[in-house]
Amino acid sequence: MTLFLGVDIGTSSSKGVLVDAGGAVVRTAVREHDVDRPHPGHVEMDGAVWWDEFVSLAEELTAGVTVAAVGVSGMGPCVLLTDAAGTPVRPAVLYGIDTRATAEIESLTERLGGADAILARCGSVLSSQAVGPKLAWLAAHEPAVSARARRLFMPASWLAYRLTGSYVLDFHSASQCTPLFDTHALDWHRPWSELIAPGLELPPLAWPGDVAGTTARAVAGIPAGTPVITGTIDAWTEAVSVGAQRPGDLMLMYGTTMFLVATVDRLVTSPVMWGTVGAFPGTRNLAGGMATSGAVTSWLRSITDASFEALLAEASASGPGARGLLMLPYFAGERTPIQDPDARGVIAGLTLSHTRGDLYRAALEATAFGVRHNVEALRAAGADISRVVAVGGGTRGGLWTQIVSSVTGLPQVVPQVTVGASYGAAFLAASTLSEIDIDAWNPPAAVVEPSSQAEYDELYALYLGLYPATRTIAHTLAARQRLLA
């Protein structure tokens, strides 16, 4: 039996999957972890955890079998800096949930000729998602560490490097390294990269499914000489896993954060969304991401000490509107479309009669309202959305996807396999050996149809008004939180 290994390094866990040549999942494994939050707005993780969890997953999944190729994937865009010998100089700074570089976003935007100039060259403006401001922050606040940095990695490229010795990054991940990458030339923009990170050796670029190299030695049950793909950022690998890479497709990734990836037939840009290179040659995406989604529901589970099944049942019984509750899900600031790292969570309408089920329902609805806000921004920018595909752990149970469809008015295709990015990484690994079709590997299993949309329209209007009504208070509290840390 020909088998393929896929491993994804996520925000709250690392997941591995062993898949056969027909796309059937043979084995799965998970390693849960926490991120580090050393200061308000700072979100980090030790790159050693990425490698250790890969090894642990691979050893478990390959026990007694041999894999033909390895797929890698991970959260991003992240900033893991190493010295010339490939030794990390500090923990990795994570993607848009790390909001430390607000001052650098402002200063770099001014130095580089304004937001319009950056948008025109890079496809996105500077935001908490962008790599460039974080590199500038490290240069300003940790100059000794920054001076030692010679190479830039993300989780997928770090695993590929540790396995093969190849220093390479995929085109999609590079396109999220704003403003270091020119989206038209599909190459690093040297004048801006040398201005921001003059000592950094930026990696050669390849497509996510390209072979980065072969394993230099046997490791974790993987034989020497095994092909390893270049890999990419998890949300894009998830889109690959469900075949959501055709113009008109929108992937919704239900995870710790919510990600939206719309595939377009040309370069489409927006000052409030992210215009990126796609996972395959010739493809483009317009994307968005919420700073929290499953993170809020996990928080509620932890403080109520209730099981997922109990809260899901209670939230279902609560009904549309959560018995008069309305929540803003900005518990870690917000990315698209408001791009406000100092936004904060709000729960409006609380009374003594409300239950934990009502709160859980309000959290699910808040995420759905955030999805609708992002979908409207995608469409306003020119993205055609004709098919929505749902993927990720949040599709379990059906209630969350039902609420999102009802709030947005969009049916969602739920595929047979919703394992996510690790499955997409395994597919890309299998594609290195033969031409295969993801639709044959992972056909649709169900379609979630909208209901109750009229009631949600009124609540959505209230949701849109709640953020501007509380923004000044939220910003003041955010400043206080930084002082108290």
Side-chain angles (χ1 to χ4, degrees), residues 367-405:
T367 302
F369 293 138
V371 170
R372 179 168 170 176
H373 200 185
N374 275 278
V375 166
E376 290 179 353
L378 290 168
R379 283 178 161 160
D384 173 50
I385 297 172
S386 56
R387 175 174 173 263
V388 181
V389 186
V391 66
T395 59
R396 287 191 304 128
L399 180 60
W400 201 355
T401 50
Q402 180 62 66
I403 290 171
V404 169
S405 280

PDB file of all heavy atoms in Angstrom, residues 367-405:
ATOM      1  N   THR A 367     -19.405  34.882  15.507  1.00  0.00           N
ATOM      2  CA  THR A 367     -18.507  34.451  14.439  1.00  0.00           C
ATOM      3  C   THR A 367     -19.220  34.491  13.092  1.00  0.00           C
ATOM      4  O   THR A 367     -18.642  34.915  12.083  1.00  0.00           O
ATOM      5  CB  THR A 367     -17.995  33.032  14.720  1.00  0.00           C
ATOM      6  OG1 THR A 367     -17.335  33.008  15.982  1.00  0.00           O
ATOM      7  CG2 THR A 367     -17.026  32.587  13.642  1.00  0.00           C
ATOM      8  N   ALA A 368     -20.473  34.075  13.070  1.00  0.00           N
ATOM      9  CA  ALA A 368     -21.239  34.091  11.826  1.00  0.00           C
ATOM     10  C   ALA A 368     -21.429  35.515  11.314  1.00  0.00           C
ATOM     11  O   ALA A 368     -21.327  35.770  10.103  1.00  0.00           O
ATOM     12  CB  ALA A 368     -22.594  33.420  12.040  1.00  0.00           C
ATOM     13  N   PHE A 369     -21.693  36.450  12.213  1.00  0.00           N
ATOM     14  CA  PHE A 369     -21.813  37.848  11.792  1.00  0.00           C
ATOM     15  C   PHE A 369     -20.479  38.354  11.242  1.00  0.00           C
ATOM     16  O   PHE A 369     -20.432  39.104  10.264  1.00  0.00           O
ATOM     17  CB  PHE A 369     -22.257  38.727  12.967  1.00  0.00           C
ATOM     18  CG  PHE A 369     -23.660  38.449  13.451  1.00  0.00           C
ATOM     19  CD1 PHE A 369     -23.943  38.418  14.807  1.00  0.00           C
ATOM     20  CD2 PHE A 369     -24.692  38.220  12.557  1.00  0.00           C
ATOM     21  CE1 PHE A 369     -25.226  38.164  15.266  1.00  0.00           C
ATOM     22  CE2 PHE A 369     -25.983  37.964  13.006  1.00  0.00           C
ATOM     23  CZ  PHE A 369     -26.255  37.935  14.364  1.00  0.00           C
ATOM     24  N   GLY A 370     -19.369  37.928  11.881  1.00  0.00           N
ATOM     25  CA  GLY A 370     -18.053  38.298  11.373  1.00  0.00           C
ATOM     26  C   GLY A 370     -17.793  37.726   9.987  1.00  0.00           C
ATOM     27  O   GLY A 370     -17.202  38.385   9.124  1.00  0.00           O
ATOM     28  N   VAL A 371     -18.241  36.495   9.746  1.00  0.00           N
ATOM     29  CA  VAL A 371     -18.106  35.898   8.412  1.00  0.00           C
ATOM     30  C   VAL A 371     -18.890  36.716   7.396  1.00  0.00           C
ATOM     31  O   VAL A 371     -18.390  37.031   6.303  1.00  0.00           O
ATOM     32  CB  VAL A 371     -18.586  34.432   8.424  1.00  0.00           C
ATOM     33  CG1 VAL A 371     -18.684  33.892   6.998  1.00  0.00           C
ATOM     34  CG2 VAL A 371     -17.643  33.568   9.240  1.00  0.00           C
ATOM     35  N   ARG A 372     -20.124  37.083   7.731  1.00  0.00           N
ATOM     36  CA  ARG A 372     -20.935  37.875   6.801  1.00  0.00           C
ATOM     37  C   ARG A 372     -20.268  39.216   6.507  1.00  0.00           C
ATOM     38  O   ARG A 372     -20.252  39.677   5.351  1.00  0.00           O
ATOM     39  CB  ARG A 372     -22.328  38.089   7.376  1.00  0.00           C
ATOM     40  CG  ARG A 372     -23.240  38.931   6.474  1.00  0.00           C
ATOM     41  CD  ARG A 372     -24.670  38.867   6.943  1.00  0.00           C
ATOM     42  NE  ARG A 372     -25.522  39.839   6.252  1.00  0.00           N
ATOM     43  CZ  ARG A 372     -26.838  39.947   6.408  1.00  0.00           C
ATOM     44  NH1 ARG A 372     -27.471  39.120   7.247  1.00  0.00           N
ATOM     45  NH2 ARG A 372     -27.534  40.851   5.745  1.00  0.00           N
ATOM     46  N   HIS A 373     -19.695  39.851   7.529  1.00  0.00           N
ATOM     47  CA  HIS A 373     -18.998  41.120   7.344  1.00  0.00           C
ATOM     48  C   HIS A 373     -17.842  40.947   6.360  1.00  0.00           C
ATOM     49  O   HIS A 373     -17.626  41.781   5.458  1.00  0.00           O
ATOM     50  CB  HIS A 373     -18.490  41.613   8.705  1.00  0.00           C
ATOM     51  CG  HIS A 373     -18.177  43.061   8.764  1.00  0.00           C
ATOM     52  ND1 HIS A 373     -17.620  43.659   9.879  1.00  0.00           N
ATOM     53  CD2 HIS A 373     -18.325  44.064   7.855  1.00  0.00           C
ATOM     54  CE1 HIS A 373     -17.450  44.946   9.638  1.00  0.00           C
ATOM     55  NE2 HIS A 373     -17.861  45.213   8.425  1.00  0.00           N
ATOM     56  N   ASN A 374     -17.099  39.867   6.501  1.00  0.00           N
ATOM     57  CA  ASN A 374     -15.990  39.588   5.594  1.00  0.00           C
ATOM     58  C   ASN A 374     -16.469  39.263   4.188  1.00  0.00           C
ATOM     59  O   ASN A 374     -15.875  39.710   3.198  1.00  0.00           O
ATOM     60  CB  ASN A 374     -15.145  38.429   6.139  1.00  0.00           C
ATOM     61  CG  ASN A 374     -14.098  38.879   7.134  1.00  0.00           C
ATOM     62  OD1 ASN A 374     -13.032  39.341   6.755  1.00  0.00           O
ATOM     63  ND2 ASN A 374     -14.406  38.755   8.413  1.00  0.00           N
ATOM     64  N   VAL A 375     -17.535  38.481   4.074  1.00  0.00           N
ATOM     65  CA  VAL A 375     -18.072  38.139   2.756  1.00  0.00           C
ATOM     66  C   VAL A 375     -18.511  39.398   2.016  1.00  0.00           C
ATOM     67  O   VAL A 375     -18.256  39.554   0.807  1.00  0.00           O
ATOM     68  CB  VAL A 375     -19.236  37.141   2.889  1.00  0.00           C
ATOM     69  CG1 VAL A 375     -20.019  37.032   1.583  1.00  0.00           C
ATOM     70  CG2 VAL A 375     -18.714  35.763   3.297  1.00  0.00           C
ATOM     71  N   GLU A 376     -19.152  40.317   2.726  1.00  0.00           N
ATOM     72  CA  GLU A 376     -19.573  41.565   2.091  1.00  0.00           C
ATOM     73  C   GLU A 376     -18.366  42.370   1.620  1.00  0.00           C
ATOM     74  O   GLU A 376     -18.402  42.992   0.543  1.00  0.00           O
ATOM     75  CB  GLU A 376     -20.433  42.376   3.060  1.00  0.00           C
ATOM     76  CG  GLU A 376     -21.804  41.733   3.298  1.00  0.00           C
ATOM     77  CD  GLU A 376     -22.667  42.513   4.282  1.00  0.00           C
ATOM     78  OE1 GLU A 376     -22.163  43.483   4.898  1.00  0.00           O
ATOM     79  OE2 GLU A 376     -23.849  42.151   4.437  1.00  0.00           O
ATOM     80  N   ALA A 377     -17.268  42.351   2.396  1.00  0.00           N
ATOM     81  CA  ALA A 377     -16.056  43.060   1.993  1.00  0.00           C
ATOM     82  C   ALA A 377     -15.408  42.398   0.780  1.00  0.00           C
ATOM     83  O   ALA A 377     -14.896  43.080  -0.123  1.00  0.00           O
ATOM     84  CB  ALA A 377     -15.071  43.128   3.159  1.00  0.00           C
ATOM     85  N   LEU A 378     -15.409  41.078   0.734  1.00  0.00           N
ATOM     86  CA  LEU A 378     -14.870  40.359  -0.423  1.00  0.00           C
ATOM     87  C   LEU A 378     -15.644  40.705  -1.688  1.00  0.00           C
ATOM     88  O   LEU A 378     -15.062  40.996  -2.743  1.00  0.00           O
ATOM     89  CB  LEU A 378     -14.922  38.852  -0.178  1.00  0.00           C
ATOM     90  CG  LEU A 378     -13.963  38.269   0.864  1.00  0.00           C
ATOM     91  CD1 LEU A 378     -14.345  36.831   1.202  1.00  0.00           C
ATOM     92  CD2 LEU A 378     -12.526  38.322   0.376  1.00  0.00           C
ATOM     93  N   ARG A 379     -16.948  40.684  -1.584  1.00  0.00           N
ATOM     94  CA  ARG A 379     -17.774  40.992  -2.755  1.00  0.00           C
ATOM     95  C   ARG A 379     -17.627  42.450  -3.175  1.00  0.00           C
ATOM     96  O   ARG A 379     -17.590  42.756  -4.371  1.00  0.00           O
ATOM     97  CB  ARG A 379     -19.232  40.664  -2.439  1.00  0.00           C
ATOM     98  CG  ARG A 379     -19.528  39.160  -2.504  1.00  0.00           C
ATOM     99  CD  ARG A 379     -20.956  38.838  -2.144  1.00  0.00           C
ATOM    100  NE  ARG A 379     -21.323  37.508  -2.625  1.00  0.00           N
ATOM    101  CZ  ARG A 379     -22.342  36.809  -2.150  1.00  0.00           C
ATOM    102  NH1 ARG A 379     -23.105  37.309  -1.185  1.00  0.00           N
ATOM    103  NH2 ARG A 379     -22.622  35.609  -2.647  1.00  0.00           N
ATOM    104  N   ALA A 380     -17.526  43.351  -2.206  1.00  0.00           N
ATOM    105  CA  ALA A 380     -17.361  44.761  -2.538  1.00  0.00           C
ATOM    106  C   ALA A 380     -16.060  45.006  -3.292  1.00  0.00           C
ATOM    107  O   ALA A 380     -15.968  45.921  -4.119  1.00  0.00           O
ATOM    108  CB  ALA A 380     -17.397  45.601  -1.264  1.00  0.00           C
ATOM    109  N   ALA A 381     -15.053  44.178  -3.024  1.00  0.00           N
ATOM    110  CA  ALA A 381     -13.762  44.323  -3.703  1.00  0.00           C
ATOM    111  C   ALA A 381     -13.768  43.719  -5.102  1.00  0.00           C
ATOM    112  O   ALA A 381     -12.827  43.934  -5.867  1.00  0.00           O
ATOM    113  CB  ALA A 381     -12.667  43.667  -2.868  1.00  0.00           C
ATOM    114  N   GLY A 382     -14.800  42.939  -5.427  1.00  0.00           N
ATOM    115  CA  GLY A 382     -14.876  42.358  -6.769  1.00  0.00           C
ATOM    116  C   GLY A 382     -14.764  40.854  -6.831  1.00  0.00           C
ATOM    117  O   GLY A 382     -14.706  40.287  -7.923  1.00  0.00           O
ATOM    118  N   ALA A 383     -14.741  40.174  -5.669  1.00  0.00           N
ATOM    119  CA  ALA A 383     -14.660  38.718  -5.664  1.00  0.00           C
ATOM    120  C   ALA A 383     -16.042  38.128  -5.916  1.00  0.00           C
ATOM    121  O   ALA A 383     -17.004  38.473  -5.233  1.00  0.00           O
ATOM    122  CB  ALA A 383     -14.118  38.219  -4.333  1.00  0.00           C
ATOM    123  N   ASP A 384     -16.114  37.245  -6.898  1.00  0.00           N
ATOM    124  CA  ASP A 384     -17.354  36.509  -7.150  1.00  0.00           C
ATOM    125  C   ASP A 384     -17.380  35.293  -6.241  1.00  0.00           C
ATOM    126  O   ASP A 384     -16.401  34.552  -6.151  1.00  0.00           O
ATOM    127  CB  ASP A 384     -17.417  36.069  -8.617  1.00  0.00           C
ATOM    128  CG  ASP A 384     -18.593  35.152  -8.890  1.00  0.00           C
ATOM    129  OD1 ASP A 384     -19.718  35.513  -8.500  1.00  0.00           O
ATOM    130  OD2 ASP A 384     -18.387  34.080  -9.484  1.00  0.00           O
ATOM    131  N   ILE A 385     -18.486  35.098  -5.520  1.00  0.00           N
ATOM    132  CA  ILE A 385     -18.609  33.949  -4.621  1.00  0.00           C
ATOM    133  C   ILE A 385     -19.827  33.141  -5.060  1.00  0.00           C
ATOM    134  O   ILE A 385     -20.974  33.572  -4.900  1.00  0.00           O
ATOM    135  CB  ILE A 385     -18.748  34.394  -3.154  1.00  0.00           C
ATOM    136  CG1 ILE A 385     -17.489  35.135  -2.707  1.00  0.00           C
ATOM    137  CG2 ILE A 385     -18.997  33.180  -2.249  1.00  0.00           C
ATOM    138  CD1 ILE A 385     -17.602  35.781  -1.344  1.00  0.00           C
ATOM    139  N   SER A 386     -19.568  31.986  -5.649  1.00  0.00           N
ATOM    140  CA  SER A 386     -20.655  31.164  -6.152  1.00  0.00           C
ATOM    141  C   SER A 386     -20.732  29.804  -5.462  1.00  0.00           C
ATOM    142  O   SER A 386     -21.725  29.092  -5.612  1.00  0.00           O
ATOM    143  CB  SER A 386     -20.498  30.951  -7.661  1.00  0.00           C
ATOM    144  OG  SER A 386     -19.226  30.385  -7.964  1.00  0.00           O
ATOM    145  N   ARG A 387     -19.692  29.445  -4.708  1.00  0.00           N
ATOM    146  CA  ARG A 387     -19.681  28.148  -4.023  1.00  0.00           C
ATOM    147  C   ARG A 387     -18.880  28.282  -2.748  1.00  0.00           C
ATOM    148  O   ARG A 387     -17.756  28.797  -2.757  1.00  0.00           O
ATOM    149  CB  ARG A 387     -19.050  27.086  -4.934  1.00  0.00           C
ATOM    150  CG  ARG A 387     -18.856  25.704  -4.319  1.00  0.00           C
ATOM    151  CD  ARG A 387     -18.356  24.740  -5.398  1.00  0.00           C
ATOM    152  NE  ARG A 387     -18.001  23.439  -4.869  1.00  0.00           N
ATOM    153  CZ  ARG A 387     -16.755  23.067  -4.548  1.00  0.00           C
ATOM    154  NH1 ARG A 387     -15.738  23.923  -4.705  1.00  0.00           N
ATOM    155  NH2 ARG A 387     -16.516  21.854  -4.090  1.00  0.00           N
ATOM    156  N   VAL A 388     -19.462  27.842  -1.627  1.00  0.00           N
ATOM    157  CA  VAL A 388     -18.801  27.926  -0.326  1.00  0.00           C
ATOM    158  C   VAL A 388     -18.548  26.515   0.179  1.00  0.00           C
ATOM    159  O   VAL A 388     -19.449  25.668   0.176  1.00  0.00           O
ATOM    160  CB  VAL A 388     -19.657  28.710   0.690  1.00  0.00           C
ATOM    161  CG1 VAL A 388     -18.936  28.803   2.032  1.00  0.00           C
ATOM    162  CG2 VAL A 388     -19.985  30.096   0.159  1.00  0.00           C
ATOM    163  N   VAL A 389     -17.309  26.273   0.616  1.00  0.00           N
ATOM    164  CA  VAL A 389     -16.924  24.963   1.145  1.00  0.00           C
ATOM    165  C   VAL A 389     -16.429  25.152   2.569  1.00  0.00           C
ATOM    166  O   VAL A 389     -15.588  26.014   2.837  1.00  0.00           O
ATOM    167  CB  VAL A 389     -15.831  24.302   0.289  1.00  0.00           C
ATOM    168  CG1 VAL A 389     -15.555  22.888   0.783  1.00  0.00           C
ATOM    169  CG2 VAL A 389     -16.225  24.276  -1.175  1.00  0.00           C
ATOM    170  N   ALA A 390     -16.966  24.353   3.487  1.00  0.00           N
ATOM    171  CA  ALA A 390     -16.603  24.450   4.903  1.00  0.00           C
ATOM    172  C   ALA A 390     -15.631  23.340   5.265  1.00  0.00           C
ATOM    173  O   ALA A 390     -15.757  22.199   4.795  1.00  0.00           O
ATOM    174  CB  ALA A 390     -17.848  24.354   5.772  1.00  0.00           C
ATOM    175  N   VAL A 391     -14.682  23.661   6.144  1.00  0.00           N
ATOM    176  CA  VAL A 391     -13.688  22.677   6.559  1.00  0.00           C
ATOM    177  C   VAL A 391     -13.224  23.028   7.964  1.00  0.00           C
ATOM    178  O   VAL A 391     -13.371  24.167   8.416  1.00  0.00           O
ATOM    179  CB  VAL A 391     -12.488  22.659   5.571  1.00  0.00           C
ATOM    180  CG1 VAL A 391     -11.717  23.959   5.624  1.00  0.00           C
ATOM    181  CG2 VAL A 391     -11.559  21.463   5.831  1.00  0.00           C
ATOM    182  N   GLY A 392     -12.676  22.070   8.674  1.00  0.00           N
ATOM    183  CA  GLY A 392     -12.121  22.323   9.992  1.00  0.00           C
ATOM    184  C   GLY A 392     -12.940  21.696  11.106  1.00  0.00           C
ATOM    185  O   GLY A 392     -14.070  21.231  10.911  1.00  0.00           O
ATOM    186  N   GLY A 393     -12.361  21.709  12.306  1.00  0.00           N
ATOM    187  CA  GLY A 393     -12.996  21.061  13.449  1.00  0.00           C
ATOM    188  C   GLY A 393     -14.338  21.651  13.821  1.00  0.00           C
ATOM    189  O   GLY A 393     -15.193  20.958  14.390  1.00  0.00           O
ATOM    190  N   GLY A 394     -14.560  22.923  13.512  1.00  0.00           N
ATOM    191  CA  GLY A 394     -15.815  23.574  13.866  1.00  0.00           C
ATOM    192  C   GLY A 394     -17.009  23.080  13.077  1.00  0.00           C
ATOM    193  O   GLY A 394     -18.154  23.441  13.397  1.00  0.00           O
ATOM    194  N   THR A 395     -16.783  22.262  12.047  1.00  0.00           N
ATOM    195  CA  THR A 395     -17.911  21.713  11.287  1.00  0.00           C
ATOM    196  C   THR A 395     -18.578  20.562  12.031  1.00  0.00           C
ATOM    197  O   THR A 395     -19.671  20.132  11.653  1.00  0.00           O
ATOM    198  CB  THR A 395     -17.459  21.217   9.906  1.00  0.00           C
ATOM    199  OG1 THR A 395     -16.460  20.196  10.071  1.00  0.00           O
ATOM    200  CG2 THR A 395     -16.885  22.362   9.081  1.00  0.00           C
ATOM    201  N   ARG A 396     -17.932  20.064  13.088  1.00  0.00           N
ATOM    202  CA  ARG A 396     -18.527  18.969  13.861  1.00  0.00           C
ATOM    203  C   ARG A 396     -19.817  19.431  14.540  1.00  0.00           C
ATOM    204  O   ARG A 396     -19.895  20.536  15.051  1.00  0.00           O
ATOM    205  CB  ARG A 396     -17.551  18.483  14.946  1.00  0.00           C
ATOM    206  CG  ARG A 396     -16.385  17.683  14.423  1.00  0.00           C
ATOM    207  CD  ARG A 396     -15.619  17.028  15.561  1.00  0.00           C
ATOM    208  NE  ARG A 396     -15.150  18.000  16.553  1.00  0.00           N
ATOM    209  CZ  ARG A 396     -15.385  17.893  17.856  1.00  0.00           C
ATOM    210  NH1 ARG A 396     -16.102  16.902  18.335  1.00  0.00           N
ATOM    211  NH2 ARG A 396     -14.907  18.799  18.690  1.00  0.00           N
ATOM    212  N   GLY A 397     -20.791  18.580  14.572  1.00  0.00           N
ATOM    213  CA  GLY A 397     -22.030  18.879  15.282  1.00  0.00           C
ATOM    214  C   GLY A 397     -23.073  19.574  14.445  1.00  0.00           C
ATOM    215  O   GLY A 397     -24.265  19.455  14.703  1.00  0.00           O
ATOM    216  N   GLY A 398     -22.646  20.344  13.451  1.00  0.00           N
ATOM    217  CA  GLY A 398     -23.577  20.939  12.503  1.00  0.00           C
ATOM    218  C   GLY A 398     -24.190  22.264  12.895  1.00  0.00           C
ATOM    219  O   GLY A 398     -24.653  23.012  12.026  1.00  0.00           O
ATOM    220  N   LEU A 399     -24.234  22.605  14.192  1.00  0.00           N
ATOM    221  CA  LEU A 399     -24.919  23.838  14.596  1.00  0.00           C
ATOM    222  C   LEU A 399     -24.197  25.077  14.092  1.00  0.00           C
ATOM    223  O   LEU A 399     -24.827  26.020  13.588  1.00  0.00           O
ATOM    224  CB  LEU A 399     -25.050  23.888  16.121  1.00  0.00           C
ATOM    225  CG  LEU A 399     -25.740  25.135  16.678  1.00  0.00           C
ATOM    226  CD1 LEU A 399     -27.156  25.263  16.148  1.00  0.00           C
ATOM    227  CD2 LEU A 399     -25.715  25.140  18.201  1.00  0.00           C
ATOM    228  N   TRP A 400     -22.874  25.100  14.225  1.00  0.00           N
ATOM    229  CA  TRP A 400     -22.112  26.295  13.841  1.00  0.00           C
ATOM    230  C   TRP A 400     -22.259  26.576  12.348  1.00  0.00           C
ATOM    231  O   TRP A 400     -22.518  27.698  11.931  1.00  0.00           O
ATOM    232  CB  TRP A 400     -20.651  26.097  14.215  1.00  0.00           C
ATOM    233  CG  TRP A 400     -19.847  27.358  14.341  1.00  0.00           C
ATOM    234  CD1 TRP A 400     -20.251  28.645  14.077  1.00  0.00           C
ATOM    235  CD2 TRP A 400     -18.488  27.446  14.759  1.00  0.00           C
ATOM    236  NE1 TRP A 400     -19.228  29.529  14.306  1.00  0.00           N
ATOM    237  CE2 TRP A 400     -18.138  28.813  14.734  1.00  0.00           C
ATOM    238  CE3 TRP A 400     -17.548  26.514  15.156  1.00  0.00           C
ATOM    239  CZ2 TRP A 400     -16.862  29.260  15.075  1.00  0.00           C
ATOM    240  CZ3 TRP A 400     -16.280  26.951  15.515  1.00  0.00           C
ATOM    241  CH2 TRP A 400     -15.946  28.316  15.476  1.00  0.00           C
ATOM    242  N   THR A 401     -22.109  25.543  11.537  1.00  0.00           N
ATOM    243  CA  THR A 401     -22.243  25.745  10.095  1.00  0.00           C
ATOM    244  C   THR A 401     -23.665  26.169   9.730  1.00  0.00           C
ATOM    245  O   THR A 401     -23.863  26.986   8.832  1.00  0.00           O
ATOM    246  CB  THR A 401     -21.861  24.465   9.329  1.00  0.00           C
ATOM    247  OG1 THR A 401     -22.561  23.355   9.883  1.00  0.00           O
ATOM    248  CG2 THR A 401     -20.369  24.215   9.377  1.00  0.00           C
ATOM    249  N   GLN A 402     -24.664  25.619  10.440  1.00  0.00           N
ATOM    250  CA  GLN A 402     -26.041  26.006  10.175  1.00  0.00           C
ATOM    251  C   GLN A 402     -26.265  27.480  10.476  1.00  0.00           C
ATOM    252  O   GLN A 402     -26.913  28.207   9.706  1.00  0.00           O
ATOM    253  CB  GLN A 402     -26.998  25.162  11.014  1.00  0.00           C
ATOM    254  CG  GLN A 402     -28.478  25.496  10.795  1.00  0.00           C
ATOM    255  CD  GLN A 402     -28.915  25.249   9.371  1.00  0.00           C
ATOM    256  OE1 GLN A 402     -28.937  24.110   8.934  1.00  0.00           O
ATOM    257  NE2 GLN A 402     -29.251  26.291   8.625  1.00  0.00           N
ATOM    258  N   ILE A 403     -25.701  27.954  11.580  1.00  0.00           N
ATOM    259  CA  ILE A 403     -25.844  29.364  11.944  1.00  0.00           C
ATOM    260  C   ILE A 403     -25.162  30.253  10.908  1.00  0.00           C
ATOM    261  O   ILE A 403     -25.713  31.277  10.483  1.00  0.00           O
ATOM    262  CB  ILE A 403     -25.275  29.613  13.357  1.00  0.00           C
ATOM    263  CG1 ILE A 403     -26.178  28.959  14.417  1.00  0.00           C
ATOM    264  CG2 ILE A 403     -25.137  31.109  13.643  1.00  0.00           C
ATOM    265  CD1 ILE A 403     -25.588  28.975  15.817  1.00  0.00           C
ATOM    266  N   VAL A 404     -23.965  29.874  10.471  1.00  0.00           N
ATOM    267  CA  VAL A 404     -23.243  30.680   9.478  1.00  0.00           C
ATOM    268  C   VAL A 404     -24.028  30.741   8.168  1.00  0.00           C
ATOM    269  O   VAL A 404     -24.154  31.809   7.557  1.00  0.00           O
ATOM    270  CB  VAL A 404     -21.821  30.127   9.252  1.00  0.00           C
ATOM    271  CG1 VAL A 404     -21.170  30.793   8.047  1.00  0.00           C
ATOM    272  CG2 VAL A 404     -20.961  30.352  10.497  1.00  0.00           C
ATOM    273  N   SER A 405     -24.570  29.622   7.712  1.00  0.00           N
ATOM    274  CA  SER A 405     -25.366  29.640   6.489  1.00  0.00           C
ATOM    275  C   SER A 405     -26.608  30.515   6.646  1.00  0.00           C
ATOM    276  O   SER A 405     -26.980  31.257   5.728  1.00  0.00           O
ATOM    277  CB  SER A 405     -25.769  28.216   6.091  1.00  0.00           C
ATOM    278  OG  SER A 405     -24.716  27.557   5.435  1.00  0.00           O
TER     279      SER A 405
END
